[in-house]
Amino acid sequence: MPQLQAQTPTSSPLKSLHISISVMSEPPMLSKASKDVLAKVRQMVPPMLESFHKGQLGRVAVIGGSQDYTGAPYFSAMASARLGADMSHVICEPEAAQVIKTYSPNLMVHPLMRQSHKLSGSETPDHIASTVIEMLPRLHVLVIGPGLGRDDLMQSTCAAVIAEAKKQNLPFVLDADGLHLVNTNPSIVKGYKQCILTPNVVEFGRLAKAVGVTVPPHDQMKSDGNTDTEMCEKVARALGGVLVIQKGAKDIISNGETTLICDLEGGRKRSGGQGDTLTGSLGTLLAYRKAYLDKIWEVEGNMSADELLLVAAFGGSAITRECSRLAFQKNGRSLQASDLTENVTVSFENLIGEKTEESKL
């Protein structure tokens, strides 16, 4: 089974903790393997052309945001916007919408979701799902899960949206409580090769159990990391070729046949919300994937839809890890999820870079 090991040298602890701001924005050291994959990411990213109109470079919607969780959908949607999506939406429940709208005027926030105890007498679960589904033709990509929660109505609404998204061949990313839908019913995504699952180590264990893959205890893992890779490949195959990003000290990206390993240096603080930068970045990169496949500019190369999915996943992982690296160098142990958001633009420049209409890759 082919694998690409994208390794990056790490800096010393002293350098990481005391590096100056002027040095922080310099590009990281990259292995040839990483550069090769990132060159494909750059090919996939549309140039900034005067001929484009609003919406062509990405219409991404994050579905999540509940009474208790408003930060996650915001961080995901803002990462999507900062990476260049033309239109970044949040579809959430009304109380969350009021809060998220105060975070940024740049996001379009739609209070269409409902938690079970907030369903009014005139509303039905089918009606709630239909109002969200009506938005799908206006979108390029869905990110489902940030701040979603486990409420039955929120979960069933997302299940209905996923079923319709598959009919429309719409790409989507599942994270956090969006993964709970797969844990309870793996067939909801099985064989659908337009989606990306992004479990952390705990979520991956649950996902593996749901599809009948036995994950050995962590202390029994091989020191070379091959067991992690094998487990990710097995889970992806059990799901019929669905792309899985197993987040960890290195990110393992596999569809069961081809595996990429992204181990660019990241930060050492594991604060909550960093995965939301990943999902938002993936959302925009999947929108760029669509633009490439639609050939809205004179594209180079002839990457297939399956290869582009892997390329987009690696790009999202690399950008998120670079955001974490830069944020940790500046903030150390005080790092918060919002610090990653502030570094999306410079991370894109460091790893991929802008191209002009005249540039040829």
Side-chain angles (χ1 to χ4, degrees), residues 18-225:
H18 299 289
I19 195 166
S20 68
I21 292 177
S22 61
V23 176
M24 271 199 313
S25 61
E26 292 183 357
M29 295 178 63
L30 298 172
S31 68
K32 183 181 184 302
S34 292
K35 289 179 181 178
D36 289 346
V37 184
L38 290 172
K40 292 185 177 183
V41 178
R42 190 168 189 264
Q43 280 189 326
M44 184 187 71
V45 173
M48 301 297 292
L49 304 184
E50 291 184 359
S51 58
F52 290 158
H53 59 73
K54 183 176 71 174
Q56 280 188 290
L57 297 191
R59 301 191 293 270
V60 180
V62 177
I63 302 180
S66 53
Q67 185 177 11
D68 293 336
Y69 306 111
T70 59
Y74 164 76
F75 291 131
S76 181
M78 279 304 299
S80 179
R82 290 293 187 189
L83 196 52
D86 281 352
M87 306 174 77
S88 190
H89 301 260
V90 176
I91 302 173
C92 58
E93 66 92 43
E95 284 193 20
Q98 294 178 29
V99 177
I100 295 169
K101 286 180 179 181
T102 69
Y103 292 160
S104 173
N106 297 308
L107 305 179
M108 288 160 281
V109 185
H110 312 272
L112 302 179
M113 300 288 284
R114 294 291 185 276
Q115 293 177 264
S116 299
H117 67 285
K118 294 294 182 68
L119 194 67
S120 70
S122 61
E123 296 174 325
T124 65
D126 287 344
H127 170 72
I128 298 302
S130 68
T131 60
V132 180
I133 288 171
E134 286 172 3
M135 285 193 64
L136 299 190
R138 298 159 47 189
L139 302 171
H140 293 148
V141 182
L142 299 176
V143 176
I144 301 173
L148 181 67
R150 298 286 182 88
D151 176 81
D152 288 344
L153 181 55
M154 297 281 279
Q155 289 274 316
S156 65
T157 299
C158 286
V161 170
I162 288 172
E164 183 60 30
K166 289 163 61 179
K167 293 178 183 178
Q168 297 185 23
N169 204 34
L170 190 67
F172 56 83
V173 179
L174 290 181
D175 185 52
D177 287 321
L179 293 170
H180 183 65
L181 291 161
V182 184
N183 295 341
T184 56
N185 179 20
S187 65
I188 197 170
V189 297
K190 189 170 184 178
Y192 188 63
K193 298 184 179 180
Q194 291 271 58
C195 73
I196 299 176
L197 311 185
T198 60
N200 60 28
V201 62
V202 175
E203 292 163 342
F204 182 80
R206 295 171 183 156
L207 183 62
K209 183 178 180 181
V211 297
V213 174
T214 301
V215 177
H218 196 71
D219 59 2
Q220 295 180 21
M221 294 286 193
K222 296 177 184 177
S223 59
D224 59 8

Side-chain angles (χ1 to χ4, degrees), residues 152-307:
D152 288 344
L153 181 55
M154 297 281 279
Q155 289 274 316
S156 65
T157 299
C158 286
V161 170
I162 288 172
E164 183 60 30
K166 289 163 61 179
K167 293 178 183 178
Q168 297 185 23
N169 204 34
L170 190 67
F172 56 83
V173 179
L174 290 181
D175 185 52
D177 287 321
L179 293 170
H180 183 65
L181 291 161
V182 184
N183 295 341
T184 56
N185 179 20
S187 65
I188 197 170
V189 297
K190 189 170 184 178
Y192 188 63
K193 298 184 179 180
Q194 291 271 58
C195 73
I196 299 176
L197 311 185
T198 60
N200 60 28
V201 62
V202 175
E203 292 163 342
F204 182 80
R206 295 171 183 156
L207 183 62
K209 183 178 180 181
V211 297
V213 174
T214 301
V215 177
H218 196 71
D219 59 2
Q220 295 180 21
M221 294 286 193
K222 296 177 184 177
S223 59
D224 59 8
N226 286 342
T227 303
D228 282 338
T229 302
E230 292 167 4
M231 292 302 102
C232 188
E233 292 169 348
K234 286 182 179 180
V235 168
R237 285 196 295 271
L239 287 169
V242 168
L243 188 64
V244 177
I245 302 179
Q246 182 184 356
K247 299 181 292 190
K250 57 185 178 182
D251 292 344
I252 302 168
I253 303 162
S254 183
N255 58 15
E257 295 182 359
T258 303
T259 299
L260 307 179
I261 297 176
C262 181
D263 63 356
L264 278 72
E265 181 186 0
R268 299 176 189 173
K269 178 65 184 292
R270 303 294 182 258
S271 59
Q274 296 187 54
D276 300 314
T277 294
L278 173 62
T279 59
S281 298
L282 291 171
T284 294
L285 290 170
L286 288 176
Y288 292 163
R289 169 180 175 263
K290 172 178 168 53
Y292 180 97
L293 291 170
D294 290 345
K295 293 182 168 54
I296 69 170
W297 80 98
E298 188 177 346
V299 303
E300 294 205 18
N302 188 29
M303 290 184 281
S304 68
D306 288 347
E307 181 180 9

Side-chain angles (χ1 to χ4, degrees), residues 10-14 16-17 265-270 324 328 335:
T10 58
S11 60
S12 67
L14 185 62
S16 296
L17 291 174
E265 181 186 0
R268 299 176 189 173
K269 178 65 184 292
R270 303 294 182 258
S324 177
F328 181 73
L335 180 149

